[in-house]
Amino acid sequence: MSGENEEQLSYSDAIKKASPSITRFPVIPVRGVPLMSYIAQNWDSIWAFRPDPSDLLIATYPKAGTTWTQEIVDLLYHNGDAEACRRAPTPVRSPFLEIFSPAPIPSGLDLLEKMDPPRVIKTHLPFQLVPPGFWENKCKAIYVARNAKDNLVSYYHFDCMNQTQPEPGPWEGYIHKFMRGELSWGSWYDHVKGYWVEREKRNILYLFYEDMKENPRREVERIMRYLDLSVSDEVLSRIVQLTSFKNMKENPMANYSFIPEPVFCQSISPFMRKGEVGDWNNHFTPEQSEMFDEDYEKQMKDIKIPFRCQI
Ligand code: PPS
């Protein structure tokens, strides 16, 4: 058995072993931002994390295109070598900085400690909660933002299937929780604005999910240039193909099938659900859409970010 398979088995097995203690964890505010209780209880060690200057941060509000970007970056670092990028599941290749779960599931910090830099680190933390070491060490960071309505729809389906997240409740009420910033990781509005205002000062590459859908090759090239990498045209085409929604949905190292059923119920909603722009049209009633847009104008009036709800 190869080391990679052992790693995959041990990660899935750890989750299986922990599954009796997995439940819909409550959220606890950390500096006003609701975070999963396990994260809140371990906050000091997360805040103290010191990255290496060569580490890359991929930051997103949940469900904005994190996994997609993690896969693109891993393929760029491995010159489009699909086999190399199937060495382990996404969260083992590219650990989730702040995640803490019941034993024996390794925390993000446990996984990071065992890896040599340069590491690709995922976070959903809003800008103000990112450990300051990232900025002190001038780490590169990619932020991916997705339009609020599609982001909300995707998060709703995820909260239905992910048994570690708070109960989503009915759709209508969920919209209001989103608008009030009560979901895990807090307000979408503050999140997208927080990174937007800091993007130039901190050299953050700010991407949009909609741009990635519209022209994935252009966006992969932007990521490549930002990372000071250079791959051939052929490799670029291969990366675009390997990271299509269809191919990632079928990739067991990227589609979260390595998180067993009691924890992620993909029979309720697959992790790779639709991967589209504009699916919100199938969920919002005209009244809900109008009410949401009115509130959106208020919450976003101070900072204009060019989101697109349709491409
Ligand atoms: S998480 O749990 O926060 O890390 O989730 P995240 O990866 O950020 O977001 C999941 C949504 O991204 C979609 N996705 C993709 N869309 C297009 N192309 C590719 N390759 C791709 N990979 C993931 C995924 O389907 C989720 O969106 P929805 O709208 O629910 O389908």
Side-chain angles (χ1 to χ4, degrees):
M1 189 191 285
S2 73
E4 290 79 26
N5 282 340
E6 280 168 28
E7 201 166 21
Q8 183 214 348
L9 273 182
S10 68
Y11 187 71
S12 291
D13 279 352
I15 297 172
K16 269 192 207 125
K17 280 200 187 120
S19 63
S21 35
I22 284 180
T23 166
R24 289 190 173 274
F25 302 117
V27 290
I28 296 178
V30 172
R31 298 193 213 159
V33 177
L35 296 176
M36 192 185 276
S37 53
Y38 266 86
I39 298 176
Q41 283 149 12
N42 288 282
W43 182 249
D44 289 349
S45 58
I46 298 163
W47 184 249
F49 176 73
R50 295 292 303 176
D52 185 83
S54 67
D55 289 336
L56 171 72
L57 188 67
I58 297 180
T60 59
Y61 189 75
K63 314 317 290 179
T66 333
T67 316
W68 190 5
T69 310
Q70 287 172 290
E71 198 65 26
I72 291 170
V73 167
D74 199 28
L75 280 158
L76 281 169
Y77 276 172
H78 290 87
N79 197 35
D81 183 340
E83 277 319 299
C85 296
R86 286 190 182 223
R87 67 194 180 284
T90 308
V92 175
R93 286 181 282 145
S94 170
F96 188 178
L97 175 65
E98 65 267 26
I99 205 68
F100 271 86
S101 312
I105 304 173
S107 69
L109 296 183
D110 290 337
L111 291 168
L112 285 166
E113 205 176 288
K114 294 198 185 90
M115 291 172 82
D116 292 326
R119 297 164 294 186
V120 179
I121 305 173
K122 158 184 169 175
T123 189
H124 290 321
L125 293 171
F127 182 83
Q128 73 277 16
L129 293 187
V130 171
F134 280 95
W135 315 121
E136 284 158 17
N137 283 345
K138 301 205 172 351
C139 292
K140 288 188 180 175
I142 300 176
Y143 186 77
V144 189
R146 186 177 193 182
N147 81 74
K149 284 173 167 170
D150 281 329
N151 206 144
L152 160 52
V153 167
S154 182
Y155 208 174
Y156 174 71
H157 288 282
F158 185 63
D159 281 354
C160 290
M161 72 83 124
N162 179 350
Q163 304 304 308
T164 70
Q165 283 277 94
E167 192 71 57
W171 162 248
E172 169 77 27
Y174 193 86
I175 301 178
H176 288 275
K177 286 186 209 167
F178 180 96
M179 286 165 31
R180 291 194 298 261
E182 290 171 5
L183 303 180
S184 308
W185 287 281
S187 159
W188 174 94
Y189 312 87
D190 292 348
H191 211 284
V192 297
K193 289 193 279 189
Y195 284 90
W196 180 261
V197 298
E198 295 286 344
R199 71 194 191 288
E200 280 163 11
K201 186 169 165 207
R202 312 288 181 181
N203 183 30
I204 297 168
L205 178 67
Y206 199 104
L207 300 175
F208 293 95
Y209 180 96
E210 294 73 26
D211 292 348
M212 291 168 68
K213 280 298 289 186
E214 181 181 63
N215 191 337
R217 191 187 176 93
R218 179 189 63 206
E219 300 306 303
V220 172
E221 269 191 285
R222 284 185 72 195
I223 297 173
M224 178 189 80
R225 282 195 301 273
Y226 176 72
L227 297 176
D228 288 320
L229 297 170
S230 170
V231 302
S232 67
D233 278 0
E234 189 206 327
V235 168
L236 206 60
S237 303
R238 196 183 320 142
I239 293 176
V240 171
Q241 196 207 346
L242 287 166
T243 56
S244 70
F245 177 74
K246 184 174 172 294
N247 281 331
M248 283 188 58
K249 191 176 171 75
E250 287 164 8
N251 178 352
M253 291 300 158
N255 66 12
Y256 277 85
S257 55
F258 44 81
I259 298 202
E261 264 291 314
V263 184
F264 273 17
C265 289
Q266 299 222 26
S267 48
I268 294 176
S269 180
F271 185 91
M272 296 289 172
R273 193 184 58 89
K274 277 202 176 168
E276 286 173 5
V277 178
D279 186 40
W280 63 268
N281 282 293
N282 301 316
H283 292 79
F284 284 72
T285 64
E287 294 73 31
Q288 287 168 346
S289 180
E290 199 177 313
M291 175 272 300
F292 188 87
D293 290 348
E294 241 174 63
D295 176 74
Y296 185 95
E297 288 307 314
K298 287 184 201 141
Q299 299 219 44
M300 298 297 282
K301 71 172 184 308
D302 50 339
I303 293 163
K304 295 281 171 238
I305 307 179
F307 280 106
R308 293 186 291 165
C309 290
Q310 223 72 57
I311 52 172

